[in-house]
Amino acid sequence: MKIIWTFTLLMIPDVLSSISVTGYSGGGVTITFKYNKAYETDEKYLCKGEGSECKVQIRMEAKHQWVQSGRFSLYDNTTAGVFTVTIRDLTEQDSGIYYCGTEVYGPDPKTKVNLKVITEFRNQVNTNSGKVRGYSGGNITIDYKYEEKHKNREKLVCKSGEHQCATLISISRSEEWKHSSRFSIHDDRSAGLLRVFIREMNVHDSGEYRIIERVSEDYSLFSEFELVITHAACCQKSISLSAAAGGSVNISCKYPQSHTADVKFICRRSGADLCAEETRSEEESGGRKAEGKIRLYDDREEQLLTATISHESPEHSAEYWCGVQSAGHKSFITRVIISFTDADVSDTTSSSPSSSSPSSSSSVVESPLQTMCVRK
């Protein structure tokens, strides 16, 4: 009976096709419709419901530019014979039958869309109030969870502009970091986790972004977030230190007061692109933590993260990062370059971000940030 019903539906003159779309609560969906070039000058629309009860959600008002109506957007590309509908901030109440159609004299050609919104799983970036915060000169990682059934789908990151979302980087393979300018992306399909990395950030990186999953030729899923890049007046961007091999060195990094209650970390770059060796502060309260050769102390009253690294040899000279972890993302604030020497030096040097006197043992590294630091 179901097969007969579907066949009958497609035989109705004004119903050209039927598709099923699955979205996720809090996320968004983009649906693409192709039409005959004979209809390129006609008005396009999206309505919800059946027959005469189909209520128009959005109607085309101009060609070759996005039209907005609440959470709905529509774009008519007459050159390609395609119009695109986007629905943001999905809720369970958005589930139902929709029709995308073209208004012509007589029966209008349209596509039936069965939209189902799932509330049990949220495929969005876990953020506070939809914002991801980073700092000028630093780096950031953003985590995006997706369902296992979408693991083989192409995924991409784009930045929203006035008329379109410009693609910054995309990936279609698993377990490989892919790089494009200051953007990197990694798809861990076994964990259902997409990780986005942005380095050497500046205030111009602020804006609206989307992480998109291409499900089929008919539709894509996406999650939106706002990236806010500010200057951290409290904090140094880069520090250079040296110490005798076998001794110890202290790293002191200031962080913004807004991150007092967040988890802090220090990580060491251990490969071409990775910062897998990471020590984190306790989430519950400030205090000391020892892990391997690194002892960490978070002074939340002074907003100061201090790490002591001991018993290193010259070959362990490396790049470290101090940062903070908020909901769904990490901000790498201060880069620390440490050089361990063979010299028989009994005392070590340390730095304080607040020190500005010529006698201070820390110095700002003026070269641009060239490496990335990500915890796998």
Side-chain angles (χ1 to χ4, degrees):
M1 182 66 184
K2 181 178 180 181
I3 296 176
I4 295 175
W5 181 87
T6 303
F7 179 77
T8 303
L9 168 68
L10 298 179
M11 289 296 291
I12 299 174
D14 60 337
V15 178
L16 300 180
S17 62
S18 178
I19 62 174
S20 294
V21 175
T22 301
Y24 298 91
S25 177
V29 62
T30 297
I31 312 170
T32 301
F33 306 92
K34 295 181 180 180
Y35 58 84
N36 191 293
K37 293 288 286 183
Y39 303 119
E40 67 177 47
T41 60
D42 297 309
E43 191 170 284
K44 316 303 187 304
Y45 68 89
L46 174 74
C47 67
K48 182 180 182 181
E50 297 278 11
S52 60
E53 301 298 321
C54 198
K55 182 179 180 181
V56 174
Q57 307 296 310
I58 188 170
R59 187 185 301 276
M60 184 193 72
E61 297 176 356
K63 299 180 184 299
H64 296 284
Q65 68 181 53
W66 282 100
V67 176
Q68 308 284 339
S69 178
R71 296 180 296 112
F72 295 84
S73 304
L74 188 152
Y75 182 86
D76 185 13
N77 185 343
T78 59
T79 303
V82 171
F83 78 95
T84 303
V85 172
T86 295
I87 311 174
R88 300 183 303 276
D89 300 325
L90 291 170
T91 67
E92 192 173 14
Q93 287 69 39
D94 290 318
S95 297
I97 301 298
Y98 293 78
Y99 286 93
C100 289
T102 304
E103 289 194 346
V104 297
Y105 181 77
D108 58 328
K110 53 182 175 284
T111 298
K112 181 177 181 179
V113 180
N114 185 355
L115 174 62
K116 180 181 180 181
V117 179
I118 296 176
T119 60
E120 292 80 10
F121 182 90
R122 297 173 69 88
N123 69 333
Q124 61 188 120
V125 178
N126 180 23
T127 64
N128 291 323
S129 303
K131 296 182 185 295
V132 173
R133 299 188 181 278
Y135 298 94
S136 180
N139 308 329
I140 198 167
T141 59
I142 302 162
D143 292 341
Y144 174 83
K145 289 287 292 182
Y146 58 85
E147 276 203 292
E148 194 271 341
K149 66 181 180 180
H150 295 310
K151 66 180 182 180
N152 295 323
R153 308 297 186 188
E154 180 188 13
K155 303 168 185 73
L156 59 92
V157 180
C158 66
K159 185 177 183 182
S160 299
E162 184 178 357
H163 300 301
Q164 63 180 347
C165 197
T167 299
L168 300 170
I169 191 170
S170 64
I171 191 169
S172 56
R173 301 182 63 181
S174 175
E175 299 296 341
E176 290 186 9
W177 276 102
K178 183 177 179 181
H179 312 289
S180 177
S181 184
R182 296 181 296 109
F183 296 83
S184 300
I185 193 170
H186 178 263
D187 188 4
D188 186 348
R189 295 182 177 179
S190 61
L193 178 66
L194 187 75
R195 179 158 289 169
V196 179
F197 184 88
I198 311 174
R199 56 187 173 277
E200 301 175 37
M201 295 183 301
N202 58 72
V203 292
H204 299 294
D205 291 320
S206 296
E208 298 288 339
Y209 290 76
R210 287 182 183 177
I211 297 179
I212 300 174
E213 302 174 53
R214 294 197 188 277
V215 179
S216 69
E217 292 183 356
D218 296 317
Y219 79 98
S220 301
L221 305 174
F222 66 85
S223 178
E224 293 180 303
F225 64 91
E226 181 184 0
L227 180 60
V228 180
I229 305 300
T230 58
H231 174 66
C234 64
C235 317
Q236 283 183 283
K237 294 181 180 180
S238 191
I239 299 171
S240 180
L241 304 173
S242 63
S248 63
V249 62
N250 293 328
I251 299 174
S252 295
C253 301
K254 293 284 288 183
Y255 55 82
Q257 188 176 15
S258 58
H259 293 290
T260 299
D262 292 332
V263 173
K264 320 307 179 305
F265 65 86
I266 182 169
C267 65
R268 173 181 172 178
R269 177 188 170 213
S270 56
D273 297 311
L274 302 179
C275 192
E277 299 176 38
E278 178 181 292
T279 302
R280 294 160 30 115
S281 66
E282 299 294 340
E283 295 189 38
E284 292 78 8
S285 62
R288 300 186 183 277
K289 183 175 182 180
E291 197 169 291
K293 297 178 181 179
I294 298 179
R295 290 176 301 177
L296 203 62
Y297 177 69
D298 180 15
D299 186 341
R300 296 188 172 183
E301 290 187 3
E302 298 294 329
Q303 290 87 54
L304 183 66
L305 181 68
T306 303
T308 300
I309 304 174
S310 58
H311 308 298
E312 296 282 16
S313 58
E315 60 267 24
H316 288 145
S317 297
E319 174 182 312
Y320 290 80
W321 279 90
C322 298
V324 297
Q325 180 172 335
S326 302
H329 68 281
K330 289 182 179 181
S331 294
F332 300 81
I333 300 175
T334 302
R335 185 176 74 152
V336 183
I337 304 297
I338 302 179
S339 298
F340 287 92
T341 66
D342 284 318
D344 184 15
V345 181
S346 58
D347 58 335
T348 61
T349 60
S350 62
S351 75
S352 171
S354 60
S355 175
S356 59
S357 66
S359 60
S360 172
S361 60
S362 66
S363 61
V364 177
V365 178
E366 298 295 342
S367 60
L369 305 181
Q370 296 295 329
T371 56
M372 64 181 283
C373 181
V374 180
R375 181 173 65 92
K376 295 183 72 175

